[in-house]
Amino acid sequence: MPSSDQQPELPTCLFCKIVAGVIPSHKVYEDEWFYAFHDIHPAAPIHFLIVPKLHIPSMAHLTEEHTALMGQMMTLAPRLALEQGCRPYPEGGFRIVCNTGTEGGQEVHHLHMHVMGGPRPWARKQ
Ligand code: AMP
Ligand code: ZN
């Protein structure tokens, strides 16, 4: 895991402020490395975001040192999806989206994973 002093929180970043509790959020989960919260504009009946507490701007910024962190994030997602009410695979399941960069549709430049699920049809595509 990277040390937290390598990528400190960015005071101007929306998701760093949410992690710090400066901006309120509806918390789904928290541990030493991650914070998860409900998306303010849900695109599906279940829609939450998982962010690393470290300020990493996007997936495009990942290096070898983030391998363990990202592995933890990928295994956290299915666990939280079930806890939040997604039905089990294969009938249920969930969608994971990591928008990256402007053409990738990223609006908040703090790496985050959208986790969406629940009965279809959903409101819109993320
Ligand atoms: P992206 O387009 O991948 O950068 O997604 C950013 C997401 O953050 C969008 O789905 C927004 O609805 C969500 N969002 C923005 N501000 C907040 C907030 N204050 N609390 C929760 N979700 C937010
Ligand atoms: Zn940030």
Side-chain angles (χ1 to χ4, degrees), residues 14-15 18 23-25 37-42 47 49 98-99 105-109 112 114 124 126:
L14 174 64
F15 286 175
I18 286 179
I23 290 177
S25 65
F37 55 101
H38 290 284
D39 195 293
I40 205 165
H41 297 303
H47 185 174
L49 305 173
C98 293
N99 296 323
Q106 184 177 8
E107 291 176 356
V108 180
H109 291 263
H112 55 280
H114 295 259
R124 62 184 164 88
Q126 184 61 38

Side-chain angles (χ1 to χ4, degrees), residues 44-105:
I46 298 161
H47 185 174
F48 61 91
L49 305 173
I50 307 176
V51 306
K53 288 185 170 178
L54 302 178
H55 180 82
I56 304 169
S58 79
M59 295 282 286
H61 294 76
L62 295 178
T63 63
E64 192 85 6
E65 68 170 329
H66 301 112
T67 303
L69 187 73
M70 291 298 103
Q72 294 276 10
M73 200 168 171
M74 289 303 283
T75 53
L76 181 60
R79 195 182 113 203
L80 295 185
L82 285 177
E83 286 179 13
Q84 288 301 307
C86 292
R87 294 193 304 133
Y89 175 93
E91 293 82 7
F94 49 85
R95 171 177 290 172
I96 286 176
V97 171
C98 293
N99 296 323
T100 305
T102 302
E103 292 185 352

